[in-house]
Amino acid sequence: MTIKDRIRQKLRNFLWIEKAQAHDIRVQELYDFESNAFRNRMWVRGDPYELSQFFKNTGSGNPMFWSSVPLTKIRKIHTGLPGMMVDVMTSIVCRDFNGMDLDKRETDWETISGDNDFDRLLHEAVDETITVGDGAFKISSDPKLSSYPIIEFFPGDRIDYKYNRGRLQEVIFRTMYHKNSKRYILYEHYGWGYIKYVLREAVSGDPVSLDTLEETANLQDVGFFGYKEDADGNPVNKVHVMLAVPLQFRNSSKWKGRGESLIDKKETLFDALDEIVSQWPAAVRAARPTKYIPKMLAPRKADTGEIIPPNDFDNAYIAIGNSNKEGEKNEIKVVQPEIPSSSYLESYVTYLDLCLQGFMSPSTLGIDTKKLDNAEAQREKEKTTLYTRNMIIEALQKALPKLVNVTLQAYDAFTEKSMPDEIKVTVKFGEYASPSFEALIETLSKAKASNLMSIESLVDELYGDSKDEDWKAEEVERLKNELGIAGKEPEDEGLENIGEGGTANALLN
C-alpha cells in the first residue's frame, strides 16, 4: 500500500458518519377538533370575560396574556378583531351571491329555497365554516313543519365523518338533548341511500331506545331509491344519493379529512394584539398628571375637615409632608410622565398586519395604516381579501350544485318518485373590488380601439352580472345600429372612424 493509499484510508476512517439512532418522540396536542372549534368561537364571540375563563382553564404551557393572573389588577381589553374578520368576510361573500341558474326544475328549487330562507342559511353556513373549519348541510323531512324538504346546516363541532380508503361513507350529525338531569346525544348516520338513528347517553356512551325521548320516539331508519341490506347490515346495491352535503374551505393540516378554520394558527397573534391594546389605557392612566400636595393644602371635607382620600380618576394626588425649611414654600407640584405613543402605535400596526396576514387587507376593515394611500393603492391592497373570497366562492360553487341536486332528489324520495336526473346548476357571484365604471370604460375602449374585443365581449365585460342576457343582447344591437354595422362585425375600423352618438360615443371614444 502506497503512502497515498494510506492517507486515503485514514481520511475514510476519520470521516465515517454513524447513522442516527431511532428516537421515540411524542407530542401531546392541547386541543382536539371540537375544543379547537370552541376556542375559535370564543375569539369570534369576543367577550373578554369568556376569553379569560377559557384560557385560564386550558392549561397551556405558553404564557398567554389572557391566561395570566397579574399581581395588580389590569384592565384586559379585547379588540374584537377576529369577530370583525369573520363577519366582514361572510358579508362580502353573501352580498355578492346572485342566486343559481338551473337548466330545469327551477320552480321547485325556488319554492324549496324560499321555504327554507336559503339566503339566511347560506350566511350561517359561511360564517360557521370560516369559524369552525367545516360543516355539512342536512336534508330531512318533517310533515308537521313543511311539505318540502328541510335544509339545516350543522357546524363541524356537531358532525363526524366516516371514510373508507379516503372515500366518504357517512356524515354523522350529533344533537344534544336533556331530560331528567341527564344528557343524551342523537347520532344521525346519513349514508348513501339510507339514514340511521342511534341515541346514546352523553356520559357513558351507552345506546338507549329511541323511545327514551319524546323528540326521538317517532324516528325510524329509512332507505330510499331502492336501498337494500343483507342480513349482516351490508348494502347489496349502490345508491348514489346521500342527503348530506359537506362544506369546507381549506383542508386541515392537523386532522385528516376535516376542514381548517381561516382564523386558525392566529391565537398567539390575537392574544399579543389584545395585550398591546390593553397597555394603552394603563399607560394613559399612569401618565396622568400627578399632584404632590402638602397636607396643609390637601382637599378636605367641608363639614368635618377630614382630608378627602384620592382616587384613580377625578381626584388623584399624593399627599406629602409640610415643609418648614427657610426659603421653601408649601406649594402644589404637578408632574406628568411622557407616553411613548409612537412605540405603542408601531407595535399595534405590526401585530394588526400579522393578524390579518393571509386573510384580508386592513383596507377591507376600513383601516388605513399608512394614511397616505390613494384609491388605486387601496384597491391593490384588497387583493388579499380577494384571494380569500375567491377560495370561499370556489368551494361554494362545488357544494351548492350538489345541495340543489340532493334537495330535489330528497323531495322526489319523500314523495315516492323515481330517481331524478342530475341537474346542471350554475352558481352566480358578482364582482368585488372592481375598478370604477369610468376606469372600466377607459380600459375597454383601448382594447376595442386595438380590435382586441368584439362589441359582445365589450358589453359583457362592462356590465357583467348587473344586467341580464336579454338586456345585453339589445344593447349590442343598439351599438351596432348606431355604428352602422348591424348584422356584421366591422373590419379594420378603429375608433377614429366612429361618429358621434349615444352609448357608442360613451363607450368607444
Side-chain angles (χ1 to χ4, degrees):
M1 181 181 293
T2 62
I3 296 177
K4 290 183 179 180
D5 293 335
R6 292 177 182 176
I7 294 175
R8 291 193 187 97
Q9 185 65 35
K10 292 286 186 180
L11 288 174
R12 291 193 189 98
N13 295 336
F14 177 74
L15 296 175
W16 178 260
I17 300 176
E18 294 185 359
K19 292 183 179 180
Q21 299 295 324
H23 296 280
D24 185 13
I25 301 175
R26 298 185 181 182
V27 177
Q28 183 177 356
E29 292 182 348
L30 180 60
Y31 304 110
D32 59 7
F33 184 86
E34 291 185 23
S35 57
N36 183 73
F38 187 80
R39 179 196 63 177
N40 291 339
R41 289 191 185 279
M42 292 295 100
W43 282 120
V44 173
R45 285 164 67 96
D47 189 331
Y49 181 69
E50 294 176 349
L51 283 170
S52 181
Q53 291 183 79
F54 175 79
F55 284 106
K56 286 178 181 177
N57 292 327
T58 53
S60 173
N62 190 9
M64 303 278 289
F65 169 69
W66 281 106
S67 62
S68 63
V69 183
L71 296 178
T72 58
K73 291 185 178 180
I74 181 174
R75 181 185 179 189
K76 294 186 176 182
I77 299 175
H78 178 55
T79 60
L81 182 64
M84 286 189 290
M85 292 166 59
V86 174
D87 292 342
V88 171
M89 183 57 67
T90 302
S91 298
I92 288 173
V93 173
C94 295
R95 184 182 62 240
D96 292 339
F97 177 66
N98 293 331
M100 293 179 281
D101 289 336
L102 284 67
D103 61 350
K104 53 184 176 180
R105 301 191 65 177
E106 189 163 357
T107 303
D108 289 340
W109 168 248
E110 288 180 355
T111 304
I112 295 173
S113 62
D115 184 67
N116 286 276
D117 193 2
F118 186 74
D119 290 339
R120 176 200 58 81
L121 184 67
L122 179 63
H123 191 283
E124 176 188 352
V126 174
D127 185 280
E128 291 283 6
T129 306
I130 293 176
T131 303
V132 175
D134 60 27
F137 294 97
K138 186 184 80 168
I139 296 90
S140 58
S141 175
D142 190 345
K144 295 180 181 179
L145 297 178
S146 175
S147 58
Y148 298 101
I150 297 175
I151 308 174
E152 301 173 86
F153 184 81
F154 279 60
D157 52 350
R158 293 180 57 192
I159 61 175
D160 293 308
Y161 299 105
K162 182 179 179 182
Y163 290 92
N164 184 9
R165 297 186 178 182
R167 306 291 180 89
L168 180 63
Q169 300 299 309
E170 286 184 347
V171 179
I172 306 171
F173 299 93
R174 303 193 308 270
T175 305
M176 181 78 71
Y177 293 98
H178 296 266
K179 182 181 180 181
N180 299 330
S181 301
K182 288 187 177 182
R183 293 182 300 166
Y184 299 89
I185 301 178
L186 174 65
Y187 293 86
E188 301 175 82
H189 296 254
Y190 275 60
W192 298 103
Y194 65 88
I195 302 175
K196 298 180 180 180
Y197 301 96
V198 178
L199 184 64
R200 299 178 182 272
E201 287 191 7
V203 178
S204 64
D206 297 331
V208 296
S209 174
L210 292 173
D211 297 335
T212 305
L213 300 176
E214 181 181 353
E215 296 86 348
T216 61
N218 296 325
L219 296 178
Q220 294 180 352
D221 297 348
V222 61
F224 41 86
F225 295 131
Y227 175 82
K228 296 180 181 179
E229 292 182 349
D230 57 17
D232 298 328
N234 299 317
V236 296
N237 61 332
K238 192 171 184 180
V239 178
H240 298 279
V241 179
M242 178 189 293
L243 302 187
V245 180
L247 177 65
Q248 66 181 50
F249 300 144
R250 189 164 58 192
N251 294 327
S252 175
S253 57
K254 294 182 65 175
W255 297 284
K256 187 176 180 180
R258 302 305 302 260
E260 182 176 83
S261 169
L262 300 188
I263 63 172
D264 267 347
K265 305 175 183 177
K266 292 185 178 292
E267 172 187 344
T268 53
L269 296 174
F270 291 148
D271 184 82
L273 182 64
D274 289 345
E275 182 176 0
I276 292 171
V277 173
S278 299
Q279 286 178 350
W280 285 11
V284 171
R285 184 179 300 180
R288 287 178 178 175
T290 302
K291 299 178 182 179
Y292 294 90
I293 304 178
K295 291 183 178 180
M296 63 182 300
L297 301 178
R300 299 174 182 270
K301 297 180 180 179
D303 51 350
T304 61
E306 296 178 350
I307 295 177
I308 300 176
N311 59 58
D312 293 337
F313 292 97
D314 61 345
N315 187 31
Y317 69 90
I318 297 177
I320 59 176
N322 300 321
S323 177
N324 297 321
K325 295 182 180 180
E326 185 178 355
E328 290 188 4
K329 299 179 180 180
N330 288 308
E331 58 183 2
I332 299 175
K333 296 181 180 180
V334 180
V335 178
Q336 183 173 10
E338 182 179 354
I339 303 175
S341 56
S342 59
S343 299
Y344 285 134
L345 181 59
E346 290 176 2
S347 301
Y348 167 76
V349 171
T350 300
Y351 276 94
L352 176 65
D353 287 339
L354 290 173
C355 289
L356 297 176
Q357 195 173 64
F359 188 92
M360 65 170 49
S361 165
S363 304
T364 307
L365 297 176
I367 303 173
D368 183 10
T369 56
K370 301 299 182 183
K371 307 298 182 183
L372 299 173
D373 291 342
N374 54 26
E376 184 177 354
Q378 294 285 359
R379 285 196 298 271
E380 189 70 17
K381 288 184 176 181
E382 292 286 324
K383 285 186 176 180
T384 304
T385 304
L386 185 62
Y387 296 150
T388 305
R389 171 188 175 273
N390 289 345
M391 177 181 63
I392 296 174
I393 288 178
E394 288 175 3
L396 291 175
Q397 288 176 332
K398 295 178 181 178
L400 293 184
K402 295 180 181 178
L403 177 63
V404 173
N405 277 281
V406 168
T407 303
L408 294 176
Q409 289 166 351
Y411 184 44
D412 291 342
F414 298 154
T415 54
E416 298 182 354
K417 294 181 180 179
S418 60
M419 181 76 169
D421 297 330
E422 190 80 10
I423 297 174
K424 182 180 179 181
V425 181
T426 303
V427 184
K428 299 184 297 181
F429 283 92
E431 299 296 329
Y432 173 74
S434 58
S436 64
F437 192 74
E438 294 80 4
L440 193 58
I441 289 177
E442 181 180 357
T443 302
L444 296 177
S445 298
K446 292 179 181 179
K448 186 65 177 71
S450 303
N451 291 325
L452 298 176
M453 294 183 70
S454 65
I455 295 180
E456 288 82 356
S457 299
L458 186 145
V459 172
D460 187 62
E461 288 291 334
L462 183 61
Y463 294 102
D465 293 328
S466 61
K467 302 291 184 181
D468 57 34
E469 296 300 325
D470 294 337
W471 187 95
K472 286 189 284 189
E474 293 175 1
E475 182 69 9
V476 169
E477 282 298 319
R478 285 193 294 268
L479 284 172
K480 288 184 177 182
N481 289 332
E482 291 181 7
L483 298 173
I485 56 174
K488 64 177 182 178
E489 287 292 333
E491 297 180 0
D492 299 331
E493 287 186 330
L495 292 181
E496 64 276 4
N497 298 325
I498 298 175
E500 297 182 355
T503 310
N505 184 49
L507 287 173
L508 304 177
N509 278 339

